[in-house]
Amino acid sequence: MEITTTSFKHCDMLVLKGRIDSSTAPQFEQAVKAITDQSRFKIVMDISGVDFMSSAGLRVLVNTQKTCKRYNRGEVVLAKIPANIQSALELSGFIPLFKVFDDQIAAVGNF
Amino acid sequence: MEITTTSFKHCDMLVLKGRIDSSTAPQFEQAVKAITDQSRFKIVMDISGVDFMSSAGLRVLVNTQKTCKRYNRGEVVLAKIPANIQSALELSGFIPLFKVFDDQIAAVGNF
Amino acid sequence: MATMVVSGRYDNLVKIGDFVRQAAQDAGLDSFSVYQVETAVDEACTNIIEYAYGKEGAGDIECTCQATPSQFVVILRDWGKPFNPRKIHPPNLKAPLKKRQAHGLGLHFIRQWMDEVDFQFTGETGNVLTMVKRKEKTG
Amino acid sequence: MATMVVSGRYDNLVKIGDFVRQAAQDAGLDSFSVYQVETAVDEACTNIIEYAYGKEGAGDIECTCQATPSQFVVILRDWGKPFNPRKIHPPNLKAPLKKRQAHGLGLHFIRQWMDEVDFQFTGETGNVLTMVKRKEKTG
Ligand SMILES: Nc1ncnc2c1ncn2[C@@H]1O[C@H](COP(=O)(O)OP(=O)(O)O)[C@@H](O)[C@H]1O
Ligand SMILES: Nc1ncnc2c1ncn2[C@@H]1O[C@H](COP(=O)(O)OP(=O)(O)O)[C@@H](O)[C@H]1O
C-alpha cells in the first residue's frame, strides 16, 4: 500500500492506496501515529484508492477514531469511500462512527 | 462568467470560470459581497477556469483583499492561476499581495 | 480445481488474495462476490497465522479453489492448533465508540459474507475450513 | 483587414474580444500575444465607454484589425470626449496594500503589452487609438 500525508492548518490528511491487510496495516498504523504523536487529532482519510481492506485495516480505523475523539480533541473523517469498502464498513457497524465526505476538500474544509 | 461558492468551516471558496471584464466584474463583486456581508473574510478564489481577466477583475481582487485583511480578520488567497492571468497579476504588481496555492485543497487547508 | 500452498506469513496474504480473486473471477462470480470471498479468505488466513500457528512462519497454509456451475468453494488447510468456533460470539456492532471492540470482525466477515462455513479439526489431516459462495442466479 | 462596429456597452466587450482574438490568431500571433492584444483592446474599449462617452449606450466603438507579415494592428475609434493620455501617470505598483490604487491599471496594460500606442484626437474623425503588436521573429 501507499500512504501520502499532507498537513493543513487545522487537520492532516492521509491518502491511502492499495491493499490494507494484516501485512500492511502496521504501516497504516505508523502513518497515523506519526500524526497523533504531534498531538494532532483531526484527520482526513481519503480511501478512494484502497482496493482491499480487511478487518486489520478496519481495526486501525476504529482505534484511531477512539484516540482522536478522546477529550473531544479531534476526529477521523473519511473521504471518497469505494463501494466494496462501504459494504465492509456497513457489515462492521462502523458507518455511524465516521463522518463521510464526497471529496477531500469538503473533508478538509470541515475542520 | 460562472461563479460557484462553497462554504467551509474556516473559509469560503469561489470557483470562477469564464471571462471577467467590465461587464461581468459586478457579478464577481456581488459574489464576494455575499460572503463578506456574513462577516466572513477568509476567501479562496480558484481562478483556474478564468480565461480572461481585465483590470476590472483585478480591481475586485485587490479591493476584496483590502476588505478582508482589514483588522487582520482574514485574507484572500488564490488557487490555480492560469499562465496568462499570472502575467496580468505580475504586470499589475499584485503578486506580493496574494498567497498562491497549487490546488483548492491546499488553499482551503491553509485557513 | 487449483491449489496453492504458502508459508503462513502476512506478506503472503496478497498472493493468496490474488490467487483466490482470479479463481473466483474465472468461476464467474460478480465483482462484489469476488470481493467478499477474497475478504473471507484473507481473514481466515490471518487467523491461521495469528491463532492456529501463533506466529508468522510457523507452518503452511494450503488453499484450494473449486468451481461448480452453482457455487464457488474455497478450502483452507493448516496444521496448527484446533479451536472451537462455536465459542466465538458475534461482535457487538451497536456499542458506542468507547466500548467498541477493535477485534472480532474477522469471523463475522467470514460468516456473513460466505453462504456456508464449515470448520473440521482432525489431528491427521490438519484443520480444514470449507467456505462456499453460491453464484447469483442469472435469469 | 476586418472592421466591427458595436454600441459602447460593457456587454459588447465580449464580442469585440472574440473578434480581435480571432483576427490576432489568424494573423499568426502566439497565444500570449493574442491574450495581450485582447486585454489592451478590452481596457481601451472600457475606457471609451466609461470616460469618452461617460456612460453605456452613448455612442459606438469601431474596431479595425490589420495584419502585415511583421505586425498586428488594432485601430479603435470613438466619437466621445478627447483626453490627454500624457497626463495619465503610471500606477504605483510597489505601494503597500492599504495604499494600493484599484484604478489606473488599464492604460498601464495598454502601454506595457502593446509595442506601439498612439492616440489621435481630431474633432471630425473622432478619437483614434492605434495599437501595434509586433510579431515574434521565428528563426
Ligand atoms: N484459526 C483459528 N485458530 C484459533 N483461534 C481462532 C482461529 N480463528 C479465530 N480464532 C479465535 O476467534 C476469535 C475471533 O476471531 P476474529 O473474528 O477473526 O477476530 P480477531 O482476530 O480480531 O480477534 C479470535 O480472537 C480467536 O480467539
Ligand atoms: N478614452 C478615455 N477618455 C477619457 N479619459 C480616459 C480615457 N482612457 C483613460 N482615461 C483617463 O485615464 C485614467 C486611467 O485610465 P485607466 O488606466 O484605464 O484606469 P481606470 O479606468 O481604472 O482609472 C482614467 O481614470 C481616465 O481619467
Side-chain angles (χ1 to χ4, degrees):
Chain A
M1 73 173 312
E2 274 173 61
I3 308 182
T4 329
T5 303
T6 316
S7 195
F8 299 109
K9 178 116 178 257
H10 289 276
C11 64
D12 292 86
M13 180 170 69
L14 291 179
V15 179
L16 305 163
K17 288 210 163 72
R19 181 183 174 88
I20 309 181
D21 59 16
S22 302
S23 172
T24 57
Q27 194 184 330
F28 180 17
E29 212 168 350
Q30 264 315 110
V32 166
K33 197 165 170 299
I35 296 170
T36 54
D37 277 356
Q38 301 168 56
S39 297
R40 291 178 63 91
F41 302 101
K42 295 176 177 170
I43 304 179
V44 173
M45 296 190 187
D46 176 342
I47 56 174
S48 59
V50 176
D51 33 52
F52 182 85
M53 194 189 300
S54 77
S55 65
L58 295 169
R59 204 146 55 225
V60 177
L61 278 186
V62 76
N63 282 336
T64 308
Q65 186 67 298
K66 283 182 185 180
T67 304
C68 289
K69 283 206 165 172
R70 195 174 300 149
Y71 317 121
N72 261 323
R73 60 193 173 184
E75 182 177 6
V76 174
V77 304
L78 305 178
K80 303 208 274 180
I81 306 184
N84 285 339
I85 291 175
Q86 169 77 18
S87 300
L89 288 166
E90 282 169 11
L91 189 59
S92 313
F94 280 7
I95 296 293
L97 306 181
F98 296 91
K99 269 193 217 155
V100 176
F101 293 91
D102 287 344
D103 50 30
Q104 291 183 356
I105 195 163
V108 168
N110 125 91
F111 283 119
Chain B
M1 73 174 308
E2 274 173 62
I3 308 181
T4 328
T5 303
T6 316
S7 197
F8 298 109
K9 179 117 176 258
H10 290 277
C11 65
D12 292 87
M13 180 172 68
L14 291 179
V15 179
L16 304 163
K17 287 209 165 73
R19 182 183 173 89
I20 310 182
D21 60 16
S22 302
S23 172
T24 57
Q27 195 184 326
F28 179 18
E29 213 169 349
Q30 264 316 112
V32 166
K33 199 170 170 295
I35 295 170
T36 55
D37 277 358
Q38 301 169 58
S39 298
R40 291 178 64 91
F41 301 102
K42 292 173 180 172
I43 304 179
V44 173
M45 297 192 187
D46 176 343
I47 58 174
S48 59
V50 175
D51 32 53
F52 181 87
M53 192 188 303
S54 75
S55 65
L58 295 169
R59 204 145 56 225
V60 177
L61 279 186
V62 76
N63 282 335
T64 307
Q65 186 66 300
K66 284 182 186 182
T67 304
C68 288
K69 283 206 165 173
R70 196 173 300 149
Y71 316 121
N72 262 323
R73 61 193 173 184
E75 181 177 5
V76 174
V77 304
L78 304 178
K80 302 208 275 182
I81 307 184
N84 286 338
I85 292 175
Q86 170 78 17
S87 300
L89 288 166
E90 281 169 10
L91 189 58
S92 313
F94 281 9
I95 296 293
L97 306 181
F98 297 90
K99 268 192 218 154
V100 176
F101 293 91
D102 286 345
D103 50 30
Q104 291 183 356
I105 196 163
V108 167
N110 125 90
F111 282 118
Chain C
M1 210 187 85
T3 296
M4 170 182 256
V5 181
V6 298
S7 159
R9 293 199 324 265
Y10 296 128
D11 61 5
N12 277 330
L13 290 172
V14 62
K15 269 188 224 161
I16 297 193
D18 289 346
F19 171 71
V20 169
R21 189 173 57 251
Q22 191 59 55
Q25 276 166 357
D26 293 348
L29 293 196
D30 65 275
S31 75
F32 182 51
S33 295
V34 171
Y35 188 79
Q36 292 176 309
V37 171
E38 185 179 352
T39 300
V41 169
D42 184 278
E43 298 295 347
C45 291
T46 293
N47 285 347
I48 289 170
I49 299 167
E50 189 169 1
Y51 305 113
Y53 289 126
K55 63 174 184 213
E56 288 191 272
D60 288 345
I61 301 172
E62 182 194 275
C63 174
T64 302
C65 298
Q66 262 176 316
T68 73
S70 64
Q71 59 185 30
F72 181 75
V73 184
V74 187
I75 301 160
L76 293 173
R77 186 188 303 260
D78 69 84
W79 293 266
K81 273 191 316 204
F83 85 113
N84 186 351
R86 279 170 218 274
K87 284 202 176 156
I88 311 299
H89 299 294
N92 178 356
L93 304 182
K94 302 262 161 126
L97 179 66
K98 278 183 191 172
K99 304 207 170 149
R100 195 65 72 107
Q101 292 298 321
H103 278 268
L105 291 171
L107 271 183
H108 179 62
F109 274 121
I110 294 169
R111 285 165 168 160
Q112 296 294 315
W113 273 1
M114 299 304 284
D115 295 306
E116 293 169 37
V117 175
D118 176 68
F119 287 93
Q120 297 286 346
F121 303 92
T122 58
E124 290 157 36
T125 54
N127 310 314
V128 178
L129 166 58
T130 305
M131 301 187 283
V132 174
K133 187 78 183 169
R134 281 194 284 275
K135 288 196 203 169
E136 267 178 25
K137 302 228 167 42
T138 53
Chain D
M1 208 186 85
T3 295
M4 170 182 256
V5 180
V6 299
S7 160
R9 294 198 324 265
Y10 296 127
D11 61 4
N12 277 330
L13 291 172
V14 61
K15 268 188 224 162
I16 298 192
D18 289 346
F19 172 70
V20 170
R21 189 174 57 252
Q22 192 58 55
Q25 276 165 356
D26 293 349
L29 293 196
D30 65 276
S31 76
F32 181 51
S33 296
V34 170
Y35 188 80
Q36 292 176 308
V37 170
E38 185 180 350
T39 300
V41 169
D42 185 279
E43 298 295 346
C45 291
T46 294
N47 285 348
I48 290 170
I49 299 168
E50 189 170 0
Y51 303 115
Y53 290 127
K55 62 175 185 213
E56 288 192 274
D60 288 346
I61 300 171
E62 184 193 275
C63 174
T64 302
C65 298
Q66 262 175 315
T68 72
S70 65
Q71 59 186 29
F72 181 73
V73 184
V74 188
I75 301 160
L76 292 173
R77 187 188 300 262
D78 71 82
W79 294 266
K81 275 191 314 207
F83 87 112
N84 185 349
R86 278 170 219 275
K87 285 203 177 156
I88 311 298
H89 299 294
N92 180 353
L93 304 182
K94 304 260 161 128
L97 179 67
K98 277 185 188 167
K99 302 207 170 149
R100 196 64 72 108
Q101 292 297 322
H103 278 270
L105 291 172
L107 271 183
H108 180 62
F109 275 120
I110 294 169
R111 285 166 168 161
Q112 296 294 315
W113 273 1
M114 300 303 285
D115 294 305
E116 293 171 36
V117 176
D118 175 70
F119 286 95
Q120 298 286 345
F121 304 93
T122 57
E124 289 157 33
T125 53
N127 309 312
V128 177
L129 167 58
T130 306
M131 300 187 285
V132 175
K133 187 76 182 171
R134 281 193 283 276
K135 290 196 203 169
E136 267 179 25
K137 301 227 168 45
T138 53

